[in-house]
Structures are given as C-alpha cells and as structure tokens.
C-alpha cells in the first residue's frame, strides 16, 4: 500500500515524491481489468460513424445537448465545487461518508476528502491499492474495499494475473482509518469470484459484509459454477485481522434467470451485482443480474428470501436497489449495455435501461414486489455518450419519496417517485459529451445526498459537490448523519 497524502499549503516531502513515482510506474502497466460481463465494465474508446458524429455536432449547435464538457443544470441546482483526479488516475467509483469526511473509490485505490467546507473539499490522503472496482464503504475505524479483478496476491502492490491460475487473488480488503492521513491495511479475505460490490450489515461488535460477485467459469479454480449465492464475511471490530467467510447462502436454488436464448437480451443470473440492506427493518433488496430479490436479514449470517421478480421484457441487467423510507417501495436499476453504451436515446426508448419502481405489498414473509412503472431521464444524450442508470440515494423528506441518481454522461438526476406510477425528474446536473467522435465512458458513477449536499464521483472529472434549493427537498437539510454507506440504508428519521 502506498499512501499519497496531499497538503497544498506545504511543499511535497521527498517520500511523497517517491511514492508518486512508484504510482506512475505501477500505472504504466495498465489499469486493472474488470469482469468481462455487464456491470461497470467497458472503459475502451469506441469510434462512431461519420453520421453519428455529425448528428452529435448538429445537436450541440442547435442547443439540444450541451457542448463538449459544457456544464448545464436546472435552476434549483448550484455547482459548488469540483476536485479533479490527482495521484489516482483510474476510473472513479463509489462514495462513502463519515462525519466531515468523504471516501472515494478509484480503480487504483481510494481517496479521503475533508468536506467540512463543501464548497472547498480538501484531500486528506490518497492510497494506491489497484484492483477494480474498489467499491468502498466505512464503519467506525474500518474501511472496506472490493477487488474484482484477478491479482497476483492480496497486497497493494499486486499485478494483474489470469483467473485461471489457482494462486490468483480476489476479494475484500480491510483498512484501519483511525488516522485519516495514514490508513493502514489490516486484513484481506478471498471470496469466490472476487468482490464486485459489497454491503455492510454493522453490529456493535462485528461488521457483516455481503459480497456480490458473478460470472463463474469452469476454467477459474476459485470461481466455478454454480455461483448461485453471496459470500458473507464476519469482521470483528476489535480484531479485523480475524475476518473470515462464515457462510455462502444459496439465493437461487433453481439456478436463477437462464438468460438467452430463453430470455433474449437478459443476463443469465450467476450471482448478484449489488445488495442494499435496511438494518432497522431487517430487510434487504438484491439486484442480481437477471433477478430482483427481497429478503430478510433478521439473522445476518443466514439471509432468507421473501420474494423474487424478473422483467424479461425491458430489464437487461439488474444492477442496484434503493428502498424508500417507509419500506413500501424499492427502486431497481437496469444497467443496460453494462455501463459501456449510449442508451439514453430514441432508439433505445424510455423503458429499456430505466429504473423499475416496485411497491412492496403484504406483511412479513408474505410480502411481494409489485411492478408499478419505469423512470428514465428524458434529457437528450448524444450517441457518443455512455448513459446508464447507476448509483443513487434517497433524499430524506418525510411524506415524499425523492432520490438523487447518477447516470454516467446523463449526469445527476433528482427525481420524485412519491406516486410510484408517475415518477418525474425535478432537477439535474450534467456535462456535455467528452467528445463527438467516439463513445467514451465518463460522467457520475455515484451521486448521493449527505447532510445537505449532493456529492457526485465523476468517473473522469473527479468529485463534484452540488446544492439543491427546492421546497420539495429543503426539509432534508435538517437531517444529519454521522455515517452513510448508501447500500446500508439508514433510518434517516431516527437521527
């Protein structure tokens, strides 16, 4: 592990310069490769036709879409700050929060910001630890990082290595962040098929980690089919070095959605992409490739399925899930195109690559997920812009169901699903295309509401801080949290 600390008021010490040199050496070998299936995978530049390029340029001239890298936003949104990438040059990924700090994942490691002044976030430290996609969360003095690319070992100086080799490593890393300026790597747990994402179920003495991963192969010694469940890790707070897998509950005893050719255009279920838990209600929702799940976590080591749904008409890849505060709705996202395609256009339409809004009806173990509607941004996007429904969070307002969400180059959307049959966008922030001559991966990976502000981790541009001023969202400014991992959804009104 290399810690790259930044203090703009002082000259760099020789040790930091050396660390930066090592960073450049390691990155010269190339970024960590993601899993070769849908789910935040494509990072390559893809050329477009001359006609598509001309169409994008005409749309810019007419004002239909913003110009290249031009920032536009609704009247109720203010762009307060942008902090570009620094030492870590890989793709920016997820965010977590704790007190006055924001933690930002990156394919090359993670970065800690001091956000005590949201208009001027300051870098506290940067840690080099390559291993896509470095999904990140925090609990107390512990930080958790997902590795979903086959590595030579579990160290922060590992290199890429084929998953066909038995010695290769993927899984969860644990850091001690009691000293924010000098995080310490304290534990690693290998998990089947790695860890694409993870979700914390925190308790007083232990933190349970639900590890989502997928895409097994008979050729992978540590990731063979059937891969029909999730890994559950138990991490003792006082002895994180004793972290270990304690269960692998099978969620799809029938194998899950078979995908094509039975269901053309739908991903075959071979695990889960993301899980959101609501610990105060002992409830979880799983977005699992071809399936959506509702399950009980009363016993966190042994989650129990309550209901399971599929959408074999419009959903391609169940990506993530968000509960409303009353726990009578859940929003599932569809990552059509695997995070590498332009899907916010007339050709794809309003229902494919959208959010699916489901009501939760019934009681206890008899609850059911009932589909109500789709929501997709209707702001025009060029065919050169990778646009996809991605990570978002609730904006906590009693009596309303409001959400902020990242859409890659579709920007940040604030929308209302209080009426689950008639969702509508009420605010937005976005940049214009990165270029008009190729399809590129950029834009917000995550957009979350935390203590009065919206924080967006842009894949290419860095950390953005936004403020929304709107009578519908203003009551949320009174809600303060000490910690937020969005996939560990809090009961906002107990704070």
């Amino acid at each position: 592990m290399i810690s790259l600390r930044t203090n703009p008021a002082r000259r760099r010490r020789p040790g930091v310069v050396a660390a930066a040199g090592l960073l450049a050496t390691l990155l010269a070998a190339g970024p960590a490769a993601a899993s070769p299936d849908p789910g935040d995978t494509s990072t390559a530049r893809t050329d477009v036709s001359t006609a598509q390029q001309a169409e994008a340029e005409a749309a810019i001239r007419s004002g239909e879409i913003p110009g290249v890298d031009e920032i536009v936003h609704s009247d109720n949104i203010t762009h307060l700050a942008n902090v570009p990438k620094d030492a870590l040059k890989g793709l920016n990924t997820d965010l977590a929060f704790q007190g006055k700090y924001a933690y930002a994942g990156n394919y090359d490691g993670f970065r800690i910001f001091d956000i005590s002044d949201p208009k001027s976030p300051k870098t506290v430290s940067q840690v080099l630890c390559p291993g896509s996609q470095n999904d990140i969360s925090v609990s107390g003095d512990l930080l958790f990082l997902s590795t979903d690319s086959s590595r030579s070992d579990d160290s922060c100086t590992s290199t890429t290595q084929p998953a066909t080799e038995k010695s290769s490593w993927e899984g969860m890393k644990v850091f001690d962040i009691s000293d924010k300026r000098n995080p310490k790597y304290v534990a690693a747990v290998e998990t089947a098929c790695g860890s694409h994402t993870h979700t914390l179920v925190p308790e007083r003495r232990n933190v349970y980690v639900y590890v989502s991963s997928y895409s097994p192969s008979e050729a992978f010694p540590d990731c063979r089919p059937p891969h029909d469940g999730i890994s559950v890790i138990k991490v003792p707070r006082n002895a994180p070095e004793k972290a270990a897998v304690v269960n692998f509950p099978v969620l799809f005893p029938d194998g899950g959605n078979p995908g094509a050719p039975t269901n053309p255009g739908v991903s075959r279920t071979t695990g889960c992409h993301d899980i959101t838990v609501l610990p105060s209600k002992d409830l979880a929702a799983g977005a699992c490739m071809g399936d959506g799940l509702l399950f009980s976590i009363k016993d966190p080591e042994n989650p129990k399925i309550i209901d399971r749904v599929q959408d074999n008409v419009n959903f391609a890849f169940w990506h993530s899930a968000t509960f409303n505060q009353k726990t009578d709705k859940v929003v599932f996202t569809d990552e059509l195109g695997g995070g590498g395609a332009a899907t916010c256009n007339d050709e794809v339409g309003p229902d494919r690559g959208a959010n699916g809004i489901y009501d939760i009806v019934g009681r206890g173990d008899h609850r059911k997920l009932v589909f109500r509607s789709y929501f997709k941004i209707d702001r025009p996007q060029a065919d050169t812009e990778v646009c996809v429904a991605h990570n978002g969070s609730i904006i906590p307002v009693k009596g309303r169901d409001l959400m902020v969400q990242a859409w890659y180059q579709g920007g940040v959307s604030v929308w209302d699903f209080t009426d689950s049959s008639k969702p509508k966008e009420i605010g937005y922030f976005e940049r214009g295309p990165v270029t008009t001559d190729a399809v590129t991966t950029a834009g917000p990976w995550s957009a979350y509401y935390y203590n009065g502000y919206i924080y967006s981790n842009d894949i290419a541009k860095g950390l953005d801080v936004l403020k929304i001023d709107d009578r519908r969202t203003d009551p949320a400014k009174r809600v303060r949290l000490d910690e937020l991992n969005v996939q560990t959804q809090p009961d906002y009104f107990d704070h």
Side-chain angles (χ1 to χ4, degrees):
M1 180 192 77
I2 306 296
S3 180
L4 303 169
R5 293 180 286 183
T6 303
N7 188 335
R10 301 178 183 175
R11 295 180 179 228
R12 288 186 172 182
R13 297 187 298 277
V16 177
V17 174
L22 176 59
L23 173 74
T25 300
L26 289 176
L27 294 188
S35 176
D37 269 356
D40 319 316
T41 62
S42 178
T43 61
R45 172 189 170 101
T46 304
D47 291 336
V48 298
S49 68
T50 302
Q52 287 174 308
Q53 180 178 351
E55 185 178 347
E57 292 172 350
I60 291 173
R61 288 194 300 271
S62 69
E64 184 180 11
I65 64 173
V68 172
D69 279 341
E70 179 187 359
I71 291 175
V72 296
H73 53 80
S74 55
D75 291 342
N76 56 359
I77 298 282
T78 304
H79 186 206
L80 297 180
N82 171 262
V83 185
K85 292 180 185 179
D86 187 20
L88 304 176
K89 304 301 185 184
L91 278 68
N92 284 329
T93 60
D94 213 0
L95 292 167
F97 305 90
Q98 194 178 63
K100 67 176 185 177
Y101 298 102
Y103 303 82
N106 179 285
Y107 269 45
D108 293 325
F110 65 92
R111 188 174 182 180
I112 302 177
F113 294 97
D114 182 334
I115 55 171
S116 52
D117 179 2
K119 295 179 180 178
S120 183
K122 305 296 183 186
T123 299
V124 177
S125 58
Q126 301 181 69
V127 174
L128 173 66
C129 196
S132 68
Q133 57 189 20
N134 280 338
D135 191 49
I136 193 168
S137 57
V138 293
S139 184
D141 287 335
L142 299 178
L143 179 146
F144 302 83
L145 210 61
S146 284
T147 299
D148 190 37
S149 60
S150 186
R151 312 294 297 179
S152 56
D153 55 52
D154 64 5
S155 74
C156 284
T157 57
S158 68
T159 57
T160 58
Q161 180 170 292
T164 52
E165 295 188 24
K166 176 62 179 173
S167 63
S168 296
W169 185 92
E170 298 179 72
M172 288 299 308
K173 294 168 181 169
V174 185
F175 293 78
D176 182 325
I177 52 169
S178 52
D179 180 355
K180 305 295 186 294
R181 292 184 57 80
N182 188 29
K184 296 179 180 179
Y185 185 8
V186 295
V189 181
E190 187 170 13
T191 55
C193 300
S195 174
H196 194 70
T197 67
H198 68 271
T199 303
L200 304 187
V201 185
E203 296 188 339
R204 187 168 62 88
R205 295 182 178 178
N206 304 298
V207 180
Y208 288 96
V209 186
Y210 290 171
V211 176
S212 296
S213 55
Y214 50 91
S215 296
S217 169
E218 290 289 357
F220 301 161
D222 298 320
C223 180
R224 288 198 171 109
H227 185 68
D228 49 12
I230 59 173
S231 297
V232 179
I233 298 174
K234 183 178 181 180
V235 184
R237 290 188 184 276
N238 293 332
E241 68 278 3
K242 295 181 179 179
V245 175
V246 294
N247 197 10
F248 187 86
V250 173
L251 304 181
F252 306 99
D254 65 351
N257 197 318
T262 303
N263 297 315
V266 178
S267 295
R268 180 169 67 94
T269 299
T270 60
C272 289
H273 181 278
D274 214 332
I275 291 168
T276 293
V277 298
L278 193 54
S280 65
K281 301 293 194 298
D282 292 326
L283 203 61
C288 301
M289 303 182 73
D291 293 88
L293 299 180
L294 185 69
F295 53 99
S296 168
I297 57 169
K298 287 182 181 179
D299 178 356
E301 288 189 26
N302 298 281
K304 178 183 177 182
I305 301 300
I306 296 173
D307 195 26
R308 171 179 152 197
V309 291
Q310 297 178 356
D311 180 345
N312 294 318
V313 176
N314 288 311
F315 259 49
F317 188 91
W318 296 66
H319 176 275
S320 52
T322 304
F323 290 105
N324 70 334
Q325 185 58 50
K326 291 177 64 178
T327 329
D328 59 5
K329 299 172 190 172
V330 61
V331 175
F332 289 103
T333 68
D334 176 21
E335 193 181 47
L336 177 67
T343 67
C344 300
N345 51 35
D346 290 340
E347 181 181 357
V348 174
D351 294 341
R352 296 180 62 235
N355 296 320
I357 304 166
Y358 287 74
D359 284 351
I360 302 173
V361 300
R363 295 178 178 273
D365 291 348
H366 299 290
R367 283 172 284 189
K368 297 292 183 184
L369 293 166
V370 179
F371 174 77
R372 294 302 185 203
S373 67
Y374 297 110
F375 170 76
K376 186 175 181 180
I377 60 171
D378 60 3
R379 288 173 282 110
Q381 305 296 317
D383 287 341
T384 61
E385 294 183 278
V386 171
C387 179
V388 67
H390 223 246
N391 295 352
S393 76
I394 290 296
I395 298 178
V397 175
K398 285 186 177 181
R400 284 187 180 271
D401 295 324
L402 305 172
M403 187 171 174
V404 58
Q405 185 178 8
W407 284 81
Y408 276 27
Q409 288 185 74
V412 174
S413 175
V414 180
W415 60 290
D416 186 329
F417 62 105
T418 306
D419 182 342
S420 52
S421 296
K422 296 180 180 179
K424 59 183 178 180
E425 185 172 77
I426 62 173
Y428 67 89
F429 167 90
E430 69 166 295
R431 290 179 171 89
V434 173
T435 180
T436 60
D437 63 0
V439 179
T440 54
T441 298
W445 178 292
S446 301
Y448 299 145
Y449 188 92
Y450 177 68
N451 290 353
Y453 298 89
I454 294 169
Y455 295 87
S456 167
N457 207 18
D458 189 291
I459 293 167
K461 301 296 183 182
L463 181 74
D464 287 305
V465 185
L466 313 175
K467 186 178 181 182
I468 181 167
D469 292 296
D470 189 291
R471 60 178 178 78
R472 293 162 291 193
T473 61
D474 285 347
K477 296 176 183 178
R478 298 192 290 268
V479 178
R480 313 297 292 182
L481 299 179
D482 296 325
E483 189 172 276
L484 178 63
N485 301 294
V486 168
Q487 285 72 38
T488 305
Q489 208 168 309
D491 187 337
Y492 288 95
F493 301 113
D494 274 354
H495 292 78

